[in-house]
Amino acid sequence: MRAPIGTFEDASPASERFDLLPAPVVAALTEGWGDVTADRLLHVDTDPAVADTAVFVEHYGADLLDTSANCVVVAGKRGGEVTLAACVVLSRTRVDVNGAVRKHLGARKASFASMDTAVGETGMEYGGITPIGLPAPWPLLLDPAVVDEEWVLIGSGNRRGKLIVPGKALAALPGAAVVEGLGV
C-alpha cells in the first residue's frame, strides 16, 4: 500500500502491525476513539538510524517536514503538584513550554520531562512517543497546525516505525485540547 505522504515503501493498516507496536498503543488502537479505528490509520516501517527530523525527511521525503509532528512529554509544577502532559507540534516548530504549556496547565513552572520519566510513564521508547496510548489522566495539547493537516506522521511508540493519521483524529483522542500558540 502506498502512504498518502512521504516515500515509504512499506505502509499497512495499523491493525495489521500490532506486533510492531508497544502495549499502550495497541490497547488504544484496539479500543479506538470517536469514529477512529486502527484500520483507518497507517503504520510505516522506518529505519531508527535515520529517525532525527533532518535526516528523516531527507530519506523519506521533503514533504514530511510540513506533515510530521513531534510528541513531547512535559511536566507542569505548582506547589508540590506535578502534572505530566503531552504536546504535539509540527516537526518544524518547537513547543512553547514556558508560555502556552505553562498557561494551559495552570502551572507556576513547566519544563520538558526527563527521558526516564517520559519512557517510564508512557511505556514507549524515547524518540518514538506518540499521542496514541498515553496514560488516561494526561492532558494532550495539540497545536492547531497539526489538527489542520489532512495526514500527519507521528511516532508509533517505538523508535522504529511511524503512524500516519488524519490530523483531526488526534483532536478526538481522550484528554485532547487544541491550544493556540503551542508550536512556535
Side-chain angles (χ1 to χ4, degrees), residues 81-148:
E81 298 291 316
V82 176
T83 301
L84 294 176
C87 301
V88 182
V89 298
L90 291 178
S91 60
R92 60 180 157 75
T93 65
R94 60 181 177 77
V95 176
D96 181 13
V97 176
N98 290 311
V101 171
R102 188 177 58 76
K103 181 179 176 185
H104 186 83
L105 296 179
R108 182 175 162 94
K109 181 181 178 188
S111 60
F112 293 103
S114 71
M115 181 173 67
D116 289 343
T117 298
V119 170
E121 295 291 327
T122 63
M124 302 178 201
E125 290 181 358
Y126 194 76
I129 293 175
T130 182
I132 298 170
L134 292 169
W138 284 22
L140 170 60
L141 312 183
L142 304 166
D143 187 79
V146 173
V147 176
D148 289 343

Side-chain angles (χ1 to χ4, degrees), residues 5-171:
I5 56 176
T7 59
F8 303 101
E9 296 176 14
D10 186 20
S12 294
S15 58
E16 297 175 11
R17 299 276 179 89
F18 284 170
D19 59 318
L20 301 175
L21 302 171
V25 176
V26 171
L29 290 172
T30 300
E31 184 176 315
W33 61 96
D35 65 349
V36 180
T37 57
D39 59 333
R40 290 188 49 215
L41 311 180
L42 295 177
H43 178 274
V44 291
D45 192 25
T46 59
D47 181 354
V50 296
D52 293 325
T53 303
V55 179
F56 190 86
V57 299
E58 185 178 308
H59 191 80
Y60 292 110
D63 65 316
L64 296 174
L65 189 58
D66 293 322
T67 57
S68 63
N70 292 325
C71 180
V72 297
V73 178
V74 296
K77 299 171 187 160
R78 183 170 204 73
E81 298 291 316
V82 176
T83 301
L84 294 176
C87 301
V88 182
V89 298
L90 291 178
S91 60
R92 60 180 157 75
T93 65
R94 60 181 177 77
V95 176
D96 181 13
V97 176
N98 290 311
V101 171
R102 188 177 58 76
K103 181 179 176 185
H104 186 83
L105 296 179
R108 182 175 162 94
K109 181 181 178 188
S111 60
F112 293 103
S114 71
M115 181 173 67
D116 289 343
T117 298
V119 170
E121 295 291 327
T122 63
M124 302 178 201
E125 290 181 358
Y126 194 76
I129 293 175
T130 182
I132 298 170
L134 292 169
W138 284 22
L140 170 60
L141 312 183
L142 304 166
D143 187 79
V146 173
V147 176
D148 289 343
E149 286 296 325
E150 181 178 7
W151 293 100
V152 63
L153 181 87
I154 59 174
S156 68
N158 289 328
R159 196 148 163 88
R160 176 177 207 112
K162 302 284 184 187
L163 296 173
I164 298 176
V165 305
K168 292 197 181 342
L170 297 176

